Amino acid sequence: MSNSEGLLSGKVAIISGAAGGVGIETSRVLAQAGARVMLADLATSKLDSVVEQLRGEGLDVAGQTVDIANEASVKALIQATLDKFGRLDILDNNAASQGQREDGVIGDMSVELWDHIMGVNARGAMLMCKHAIPALIAAGGGSIINISSGTSLAGDFYATAYACSKGAVNTLTKYVATQYAAQGIRCNALTLGLIGTPILKQAMPAPMLDIFTRHHMAGRIGEPADVANMVAFLVSDRSAWITGQVYSVDGGFYAHTPTTVQVTNLMAQG
Ligand SMILES: NC(=O)c1ccc[n+]([C@@H]2O[C@H](COP(=O)([O-])OP(=O)(O)OC[C@H]3O[C@@H](n4cnc5c(N)ncnc54)[C@H](O)[C@@H]3O)[C@@H](O)[C@H]2O)c1
């Protein structure tokens, strides 16, 4: 499919966290489907090399540094996108602060860490919606995707602030969908399972990876393309009647009873 006849041809997208593992692939898949894509990230030099890489693949992309936790920075991103591409149809809220070792149980929670994670993940997603919405309305409507996490769906001993921030993102999704449906804006969230980005594959010890793999019923952890393909569908006109939903994109991680894997292994032993 050439860019001129792609699923997303004529559309302009902003993808935050575009220098990260999922963001790079989502930028690539949306641009391959014909969208013109503004890649946005806090990590400027990484962002520059990703933009260069995707341009080298013949894709119509640009880059802009942003701190999504900062309102002035978010406003500047939306303006830069309008200046560069003339319109905005798609927002993929993909950037997040994650992976802090100190993000443990409530009794040890640092207020600074909590506020930082909430500031980026919850306030950042809200600010991006707030300032993108007028541009989406001006384009006749649009589609917002909020990238969330399966950690928001059940309790655990780690990533407490992160999981709570993603819970806020799930709820934000329904509020945006409700408040702006009449102006043609759709908003959906994706709760991801474990995605094998290069950073994750490098950082996660093999025994841990094995546990996670066994609990994804599909028999493997996710790839960035698994997320990107779902985003491409939900920002296209093929999903025109879908809004306000929180979808698991997780290979069945949350499809099963928590004890299933261990019980099945026990029964196999006879
Ligand atoms: N990888 C997984 O297993 C997994 C699982 C569940 C959910 N997710 C979610 O998927 C999304 C992408 O994750 P990833 O694995 O590609 O992460 P990543 O760390 O590779 O990428 C995240 C990007 O966000 C950017 N970022 C961080 N703070 C920012 C800020 N204040 N302003 C702008 N950009 C900022 C980082 O620079 C980075 O490039 C995140 O929302 C994450 O929470 C990932």
Side-chain angles (χ1 to χ4, degrees):
M1 200 185 287
S2 82
N3 283 1
S4 59
E5 59 197 29
L7 187 63
L8 303 178
S9 57
K11 294 188 190 289
V12 173
I14 293 176
I15 299 180
S16 71
V22 173
I24 297 171
E25 189 57 20
T26 306
S27 302
R28 176 181 284 118
V29 167
L30 265 54
Q32 284 174 342
R36 288 173 290 160
V37 181
M38 177 62 88
L39 285 78
D41 205 290
L42 188 61
T44 304
S45 62
K46 229 173 134 194
L47 177 67
D48 289 346
S49 67
V50 170
V51 168
E52 198 181 325
Q53 183 188 339
L54 295 186
R55 280 191 179 144
E57 295 172 21
L59 300 172
D60 194 352
V61 300
Q64 168 86 11
T65 301
V66 70
D67 177 359
I68 61 166
N70 179 295
E71 186 155 24
S73 182
V74 169
K75 275 167 100 167
L77 167 65
I78 305 299
Q79 192 54 54
T81 307
L82 295 176
D83 291 346
K84 172 76 183 166
F85 294 124
R87 58 184 291 136
L88 182 65
D89 307 275
I90 294 164
L91 171 63
D92 180 28
N93 273 324
N94 169 80
S97 179
Q98 61 178 342
Q100 289 89 344
R101 278 187 177 276
E102 325 82 74
D103 186 10
V105 299
I106 295 288
D108 297 333
M109 183 60 64
S110 135
V111 167
E112 290 72 25
L113 182 71
W114 177 273
D115 287 351
H116 165 72
I117 292 175
M118 284 290 169
V120 176
N121 299 0
R123 168 154 43 96
M126 178 278 293
L127 287 175
M128 291 285 280
C129 290
K130 176 182 173 185
H131 292 288
I133 282 169
L136 296 172
I137 291 173
S143 178
I144 300 172
I145 305 298
N146 292 325
I147 299 297
S148 183
S149 165
T151 58
S152 66
L153 303 177
D156 215 322
F157 287 87
Y158 63 93
T160 305
Y162 171 76
C164 292
S165 74
K166 293 299 193 178
V169 164
N170 299 347
T171 305
L172 173 73
T173 301
K174 292 178 185 287
Y175 274 72
V176 170
T178 299
Q179 293 170 5
Y180 295 96
Q183 282 118 310
I185 294 177
R186 300 185 294 113
C187 185
N188 294 287
L190 305 180
T191 55
L192 308 187
L194 194 66
I195 308 299
T197 60
I199 294 176
L200 182 128
K201 283 179 178 165
Q202 211 174 23
M204 186 169 275
M208 182 89 85
L209 194 57
D210 183 52
I211 292 172
F212 275 98
T213 303
R214 281 190 281 123
H215 279 275
H216 286 76
M217 295 292 99
R220 64 172 177 86
I221 63 166
E223 292 296 328
D226 293 315
V227 182
N229 289 329
M230 182 64 163
V231 172
F233 168 67
L234 284 174
V235 300
S236 79
D237 295 338
R238 288 187 186 165
S239 57
W241 211 46
I242 300 175
T243 192
Q245 303 306 303
V246 179
Y247 290 108
S248 290
V249 176
D250 70 356
F253 189 82
Y254 277 97
H256 68 290
T257 307
T259 47
T260 293
V261 172
Q262 281 86 349
V263 169
T264 306
N265 287 347
L266 196 65
M267 288 175 78
Q269 287 166 21

